Every structure is written in C-alpha cells, then in structure tokens.
C-alpha cells in the first residue's frame, strides 16, 4: 500500500484519552478500542488532525432515538450550562496539553500552517485544537480569546442542540437540514470575532438557516469539517447541493465524514458498508465541488465507520479503493493533506 500522508479534519479522541478520562486509553499506546491512537495513526500514515473539545450534557435524554416508518429521529440533548461546559473544556484542554508533554516530541500543538509543516518534517504528529459547540463561551466572548491564546484554531458554534449562539441541527433521516432558526445576535458576534482572530468556523452541526447566516457574514472560506452529501443520504447532518456549492464558491472545504449512516443512501448503522459505496460518495462530492475542496474529516472515535477501514491504521485501504476507482495521485494528495492546509492558510493569520 502506498503510504500517502493524511491530515484529518475531525476526531473525538479527546473524550477517551486517559489524561482526561480515568481508565481511558493511553493515546501513546496501541489499542484495539475505538479508532485512534498515535501508533495506529502512524500505521495509517496519519500525520495530524483537528482534535475536538466537546462538552457532553450532564443528563442524556431518555429514549432519545425514535425509529420512524422510513428512518429515525434523535431528540435534542438539553442546552448546557456555561460554567459546567467550561469546566469540561478546561479539563480537556489541560489533558491535551499533558498528553503532548508526555509524548516527548512525538506530538506537537500546531497553531499555524508552518507548525503543521514543521511537525511533518520532524515526523511529529500535529495536533490542531477544535471546539465542537460553543456552550463554554459566554456572550462577552472573553473565553473565546482565552481559548485562542491556548491554541484553539477551529470552532463549531453549535453542536446538534441549541445554545446562545444558534440552533444545531438534530439528527434525523430522511429530513431536510432546514430545521429551525439560525444564528442569534450573539452568534453573529461570535462569527465576526472568529474572523478577526483567524479561528476557522465549522458549519458541520449548524442547521441550514444557521449555515446561510454564517455564509452572509463570514469573510473566511466556508468549511464543514465532517459532513456528507444530502443528495445521496438525506440526513439532517448532510449538506444540500446548494450548501456544497456555497462552500465551493468561497474556496472552502468539506471534510468527508466516514459515518456510515451519513454515507449510505438508506442511512443504516451498518459497519459492513463496502468501500465502493464510500468512494462513490467521495466521487459525488468531488464532481460537484472540485478536487481542491474535498478532504477527509473522519469523525474517528465519534461514529461508526466501515469495517473495511476499521480505524486509523486502515486508512490506506480507503486510498487504495479510491485508486481503483480511478482517482489520480494529485487528487489523492489533495484529499489526504493539501486541501486542509490550503484552507487553513486562507483562514489563519500568517
């Protein structure tokens, strides 16, 4: 297998690392649990990625998944208290800094394109901090500046629940992503502040009206770090052709989500999803948006992926399947690495 180097646009590994979760996985040791640790990243030629800080709700709704006659609906989680969310984010940030220190140079915090390239040149794994849902940030946005100073370079204003900044898109199939109101006034201020700081805005969990509110306000390329095409799988979490076109027209990027239920036309939670089905979805995105605007946003440790990839060590299987489908090497390199660095360069201050 050709060892093409990969930068990944989204993972949820922070939630499972031993530095944050007692009894969790040591990210520096190989595990068979979950999708991602440093040894498996190295085996899969993964050289860096966006690591999501995320505050889980204190109480998960009971019976939150409802099977419908033709699909499913998932109830919103409750809105989070700002102080509670901030405690969790502070603890995750502390854990990630501790993990990077423990790595003895094998992992590096990256806050610029130069940092990512320097880490790659020295065979270190580049960690870019992302936050999924801005509940820990108050309306004064002071904590946004604290996080930026600590290295945050990507932010999703909402997860799939409401907060003071806007309305996340609930999980449902088949359903339009146009599920309710968009950004609030506080959300508009957040977008402007992210633009001023050079924090990338992630549209992945916003509903459609929120997406268009960001598109009308933002001076940066539009980015969804982990999503798929609604035309192929009409999940609320997927983007319509019109949304894909908007990302294309701003020279942005969509990170292709490996979640099988957002790839499959039937949205089944089936790990036996074949790689040719995965590749056909990638083909649709590239045909629609161009080879410069589709990258990988795996959602490792946050979803169910095809067993034919299994985990980060199996990424070469995906690239081999893409080659067999006719993708050339320049397109593979763009999908694997170059497109993320291009959009970072357009978003982050030099």
């Amino acid at each position: 297998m050709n060892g093409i180097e990969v930068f990944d646009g989204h993972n949820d590994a922070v939630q499972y690392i031993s530095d944050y979760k007692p009894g969790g996985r040591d990210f520096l040791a190989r595990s068979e649990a979950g999708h991602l640790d440093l040894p498996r990243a190295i085996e899969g030629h993964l050289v860096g990625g966006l690591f999501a800080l995320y505050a889980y709700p204190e109480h998960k709704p009971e019976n939150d998944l409802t099977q419908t006659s033709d699909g499913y609906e998932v109830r919103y989680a409750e809105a989070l208290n700002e102080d509670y969310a901030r405690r969790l984010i502070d603890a995750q940030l502390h854990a990630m800094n501790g993990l990077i220190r423990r790595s003895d140079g094998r992992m590096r915090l990256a806050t610029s394109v130069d940092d990512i390239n320097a880490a790659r040149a020295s065979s270190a794994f580049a960690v870019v901090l992302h936050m999924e849902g801005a509940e820990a940030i108050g309306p004064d946005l002071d904590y946004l500046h604290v996080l930026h100073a600590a290295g945050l370079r990507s932010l999703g204003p909402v997860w799939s629940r409401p907060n003071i900044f806007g309305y996340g898109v609930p999980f449902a199939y088949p359903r339009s992503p146009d599920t309710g109101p968009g950004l609030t006034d506080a959300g508009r201020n957040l977008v402007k502040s992210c633009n001023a700081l050079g924090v990338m805005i992630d549209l992945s969990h916003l509903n459609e009206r929120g997406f268009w509110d960001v598109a009308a306000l933002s001076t940066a390329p539009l980015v969804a770090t982990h999503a798929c095409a609604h035309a192929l799988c009409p999940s609320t979490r997927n983007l319509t052709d019109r949304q894909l076109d908007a990302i294309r027209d701003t020279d942005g990027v969509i990170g292709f989500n490996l979640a099988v239920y957002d790839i499959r036309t039937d949205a089944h939670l089936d790990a036996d999803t074949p790689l040719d089905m995965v590749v056909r979805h990638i083909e649709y995105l590239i045909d629609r948006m161009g080879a410069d605007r589709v990258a990988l946003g795996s959602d490792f440790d946050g979803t169910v992926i095809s067993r034919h990839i299994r985990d980060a060590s199996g990424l070469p299987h995906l690239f081999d399947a893409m080659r067999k489908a006719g993708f050339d090497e320049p397109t593979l390199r763009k999908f694997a690495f170059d497109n993320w660095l291009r959009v970072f360069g357009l978003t982050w201050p030099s």
Side-chain angles (χ1 to χ4, degrees):
M1 293 181 184
N2 192 328
I4 190 167
E5 291 185 323
V6 184
F7 187 97
D8 182 26
H10 189 89
N11 75 68
D12 290 316
V14 179
Q15 302 297 325
Y16 303 98
I17 62 173
S18 57
D19 309 75
Y20 172 65
K21 180 182 180 182
R25 307 195 301 264
D26 183 353
F27 193 84
L28 302 180
R30 198 184 196 288
S31 172
E32 294 301 315
H35 299 137
L36 183 61
D37 49 51
L38 187 58
R40 284 183 289 179
I42 293 170
E43 290 173 29
H45 310 290
L46 185 62
V47 298
L50 270 71
F51 282 67
L53 310 176
Y54 169 72
Y56 277 97
E58 293 183 79
H59 308 289
K60 184 179 179 180
E62 294 184 7
N63 302 317
D64 58 338
L65 174 63
T66 300
Q67 298 289 339
T68 63
S69 60
D70 57 353
Y72 64 85
E73 296 177 354
V74 179
R75 287 176 53 203
Y76 272 121
E78 64 187 30
L80 299 188
N81 173 272
E82 178 188 330
D83 291 337
Y84 162 81
R86 189 171 299 183
R87 287 197 299 274
L88 266 60
I89 297 302
D90 281 343
Q92 292 167 24
L93 182 60
H94 178 76
M96 284 303 296
N97 287 332
L99 171 61
I100 291 168
R101 286 194 299 271
R102 278 201 305 117
S103 76
D104 292 328
R106 288 177 288 170
M107 300 175 68
R108 292 186 184 180
L109 180 65
T111 61
S112 68
V113 171
D114 285 346
D115 285 348
I116 295 172
N117 285 326
R120 184 187 189 189
S122 62
S123 299
F125 188 87
V127 173
V128 175
L129 294 180
H130 168 74
M131 189 163 73
E132 193 169 29
E135 288 88 352
I137 299 173
D140 59 11
L141 304 183
D142 287 349
Y143 191 57
L144 173 65
H145 292 266
V146 171
L147 290 171
H148 179 262
L152 188 78
R153 290 299 180 268
S154 178
L155 171 68
V158 300
W159 187 72
S160 290
R161 59 185 171 226
N163 63 28
I164 65 170
F165 301 109
Y167 294 81
V169 63
F171 294 83
Y173 169 96
R175 187 79 59 81
S176 165
D178 187 9
T179 60
L183 295 181
T184 64
D185 288 343
R188 293 181 178 88
N189 289 335
L190 178 65
V191 169
K192 293 174 185 176
S193 293
C194 285
N195 283 166
L197 289 169
V199 173
M200 188 174 76
I201 300 163
D202 178 20
L203 301 164
S204 297
H205 283 271
L206 269 172
N207 64 16
E208 188 172 2
R209 294 188 197 183
F211 178 103
W212 293 117
D213 286 344
V214 173
L217 282 169
S218 181
T219 59
L222 298 178
V223 173
T225 63
H226 56 306
C228 294
H230 191 271
L232 298 186
C233 175
S235 156
T236 50
R237 271 279 287 112
N238 285 342
L239 301 179
T240 67
D241 283 350
R242 185 168 169 246
Q243 290 173 298
L244 297 176
D245 292 349
I247 292 173
R248 177 197 65 205
D249 293 345
T250 63
D251 210 12
V253 162
I254 182 172
F256 176 70
N257 189 355
L258 293 179
V260 293
Y261 47 81
D262 281 338
I263 293 172
R264 300 176 60 95
T265 57
D266 59 13
H268 286 178
L269 189 67
D270 185 358
D272 202 34
T273 299
L275 283 182
D276 62 350
M277 186 180 294
V278 177
V279 172
R280 282 199 299 272
H281 207 120
I282 297 171
E283 284 179 324
Y284 181 87
L285 290 169
I286 290 178
D287 286 346
R288 183 90 197 184
M289 303 175 69
D292 292 328
R293 298 174 190 91
V294 184
L296 178 68
S298 71
D299 207 6
F300 282 149
D301 282 334
T303 193
V304 174
I305 71 173
S306 170
R307 69 173 180 83
H308 303 286
I309 300 173
R310 185 182 177 187
D311 57 29
S313 68
L315 283 172
H317 297 299
L318 173 62
F319 290 99
D320 275 357
M322 292 175 71
R323 287 188 184 93
K324 290 175 183 176
F327 287 95
D328 60 24
E329 293 303 310
T331 299
L332 292 180
R333 287 194 295 272
K334 289 177 180 181
F335 178 81
F337 189 90
D338 296 346
N339 288 345
W340 280 123
L341 265 68
R342 181 187 59 77
V343 83
F344 294 157
L346 293 172
T347 305
W348 299 341
S350 57

